[in-house]
Every structure is written in C-alpha cells, then in structure tokens.
Amino acid sequence: MLFPDPSTTQRRHHGPVSSWRYWPSAGDVAGEPLPVGAVGGGAVGVGAVGAVGVGAEGPTVATAHADAVAAEPEPTRRLAPALTSPVKDDGGVEGGSVAGGIPVSGHVLGAERAAVAGAAVTLISLGGRQLGRSVSGGDGTYGVDAPAAGSYVLIASADGYQPQASTIVVAGDAPVSYDVLLSGTSGLAGVVLSADSGAPVAEAVVIVTDVRGDVLATGGTDVLGEFTITDLVPGTVTLAVNSPKHRPLALPVVIPGTGITRSEVELRPGAHMRGTVRGAGSPLGDALVTLVDAAGNVVATTTTDLDGAYAFSDLDGGAYTVIATGYPPQAATVTVSGSGLDDHDIELAHVGE
C-alpha cells in the first residue's frame, strides 16, 4: 500500500510531496519499505507499481497500474492594494494630494464674488510637477495639500472662465487660505454715436459695472467711436458711457456665457448755459448760482469767478430756473468798552463752505 513517507516532513501549501514509499500491510510480508520513485512538478503520479510477493530472494514487485494522485493547489496570493495616485521617488503624488501634507484651501470665485462650482484646482511645484488636485464644491470651496513649506503654483480653471495661475507661499506647518478669482471669457463691444448727427463719438469713456455698482472694466472709444471690453463673466451688467460734449448714458446689458455681445450707444449732445452775476451794476464775484429743472430738482450749483461769470454744461434740453444769491447774513454779539477802539471782523461764506 502506498503512503507518504513519514520521514519526510510535509507542510501544507509548501509545495508537492517529494517522495512516496510502499509500506506492507497486514496481508503483506513484512519487510523494508521500497522506494517507488520521486515525483516532481504539480500532480503527484505513481508509475508502474506492482503487487508485492515473497520469494527466496525477498520481496518482488509485479507490474500493476495505480491511479494518479493530485497535489494540493498552491495557496492564493493576495496583492497589496494599488495606490490611486502614483507616488514618485521624490515624494510627490501625481494626480492626487499628498497625504498628511499642509492644507491649502479657499474658494473659487467669479464676478461679484459669486461661488464657482466644478472648477478644477491643481497644485504644482515650481518645476511643473503635479502635487494635488481638487474640484470646487457647490459653494466654491476647494482643498489640496502641499508636501512641505515652500513656494507653489496654484492653477484654477472652469467652463466659461479664463484659467488663473497664482503663486502661493506655504510657511511652516500652518494651513494656507487662498481665494481664486476667475474672469470670464465673454466680452462686450459696440459703437458710440451722437444722437443728433449719427457721427461717431471719439474718446468717450466706457465703464462696465456689476449690479452692486462695482467697476468690472473700463475702456474708451477710438476715432470710429468703437470700443471692446473683454474678460467679462455671464450675467447682467451696467454699461455707462460719458463724453465731455454729450450727456452721460447708462443702460443694462446681458452678457451670455460665451462670445462677444455688441451694443450701440447713442449720446445726446449736452446743452451749455453761461452768464454773469452783477450787483449794483458791477460783476459780483463768488456769488452762488443754482440751476433747478422744471420738476424743482437741483441740477447743478456753481460760484462765479472774479468777473462774476458762471457756466453749466451737459444739460438736457428744457426749461430751468437760475437762482443767484450772495453771501447769507452773519450775526454776532459785540461788547464795546466805554472808551478806546474795539476790533470785530466779519467773514461771509456760502452754506457748506
């Protein structure tokens, strides 16, 4: 009968059985174990093995066939989990953040400091190696980790905005807070014309403000009256145009997500009025002149020069009232002594001066 050789220590999963021997059973003639043969490789096979008989010369082996014995399969090897971000030899992580680094966080903002969601924020070394990447949330927040103190480049980009690259400095182990402001890819262009003649208005000042009145961009018209404003974000803005010889004008403009919006602006020429204030037949200097429109609103105020002259410009056509006044009266209490000379000076001034 075939049994594994007890003299050979067999351990589970340490490879195939190396040798087998024939051990006589109770019905066989006692004797020394007979080697059958060494087996290598995967399955253990027993070749031509015969029955054992007893003769004068000792036990003999007659040829017989035995079934193959399969070896135990090798145990399954478990591999270490792969890193989601490849780690480079110099400690940087490509495609992710460095675990246990120094936090760099903040907000990605657009026009009017509105949060920009879905913006890609990447932290790279000064040599161009990617160290971390984040996507801003619904409130515009992002967060990456710097591997150590030093200078880095922070890149932010989002659909409909110009990409922005900024240099940040990480000092020590303290977290860094940094907000990124993105400008849009939309623009505003147009022409400024005179309403009465249709002629282009050159050297007009063009100002774009947001709904809160903050100035987003400024520009000017060329000799053809044309202007171009770039890097605007989508939304409603106010376009204001001013020219020295025309009345200023402001109008709302809707900026789309992409592309250039064209706008034609017509400025009405401003009326001018001038005159002289006289008192007792002589020009009266430093007199206060007030211009009031037909609704009783004060349009402008000015004071006369030494020759009594005044002027108003950039007026709409219509009826006005001109009010000229001198200095308001001044009153003071004075006490004089019984004899001698007492001094008392009086200074006249307009209200608010």
Side-chain angles (χ1 to χ4, degrees), residues 98-182:
V98 178
I102 302 172
V104 178
S105 61
H107 296 80
V108 181
L109 306 174
E112 305 175 26
R113 297 189 65 82
V116 178
V121 181
T122 305
L123 182 71
I124 65 173
S125 66
L126 296 181
R129 178 168 50 87
Q130 179 174 313
L131 302 175
R133 185 178 181 276
S134 175
V135 177
S136 62
D139 57 354
T141 57
Y142 74 91
V144 292
D145 291 330
S151 297
Y152 301 92
V153 177
L154 193 68
I155 303 173
S157 61
D159 291 339
Y161 295 86
Q162 295 280 4
Q164 176 71 31
S166 307
T167 301
I168 63 172
V169 177
V170 178
D173 297 331
V176 177
S177 178
Y178 187 86
D179 291 342
V180 181
L181 182 62
L182 298 180

Side-chain angles (χ1 to χ4, degrees), residues 32-293:
E32 294 295 327
L34 298 178
V36 174
V39 181
V44 177
V46 179
V49 179
V52 180
V54 179
E57 300 299 326
T60 60
V61 179
T63 302
H65 178 75
D67 294 335
V69 179
E72 294 188 41
E74 294 188 7
T76 302
R77 297 180 181 177
R78 295 184 178 273
L79 301 178
L83 295 175
T84 56
S85 302
V87 180
K88 296 191 174 182
D89 294 338
D90 53 2
V93 177
E94 183 178 346
S97 295
V98 178
I102 302 172
V104 178
S105 61
H107 296 80
V108 181
L109 306 174
E112 305 175 26
R113 297 189 65 82
V116 178
V121 181
T122 305
L123 182 71
I124 65 173
S125 66
L126 296 181
R129 178 168 50 87
Q130 179 174 313
L131 302 175
R133 185 178 181 276
S134 175
V135 177
S136 62
D139 57 354
T141 57
Y142 74 91
V144 292
D145 291 330
S151 297
Y152 301 92
V153 177
L154 193 68
I155 303 173
S157 61
D159 291 339
Y161 295 86
Q162 295 280 4
Q164 176 71 31
S166 307
T167 301
I168 63 172
V169 177
V170 178
D173 297 331
V176 177
S177 178
Y178 187 86
D179 291 342
V180 181
L181 182 62
L182 298 180
S183 59
T185 57
S186 303
L188 177 62
V191 60
V192 179
L193 304 174
S194 178
D196 59 344
S197 63
V201 177
E203 298 182 356
V205 178
V206 180
I207 304 172
V208 179
T209 64
D210 59 21
V211 294
R212 299 182 303 177
D214 294 331
V215 176
L216 300 178
T218 60
T221 59
D222 56 18
V223 293
L224 300 177
E226 297 183 349
F227 66 91
T228 301
I229 303 294
T230 58
D231 298 339
L232 296 177
V233 297
T236 301
V237 299
T238 299
L239 174 64
V241 183
N242 183 33
S243 173
K245 298 181 180 180
H246 298 79
R247 293 288 296 148
L249 178 66
L251 65 158
V253 178
V254 177
I255 304 299
T258 57
I260 301 296
T261 300
R262 292 197 59 84
S263 179
E264 182 176 300
V265 180
E266 292 186 349
L267 297 182
R268 291 176 296 174
H272 296 266
M273 183 178 64
R274 63 182 181 181
T276 303
V277 177
R278 292 182 173 85
S282 299
L284 183 61
D286 206 25
L288 179 65
V289 182
T290 303
L291 186 66
V292 181
D293 64 13

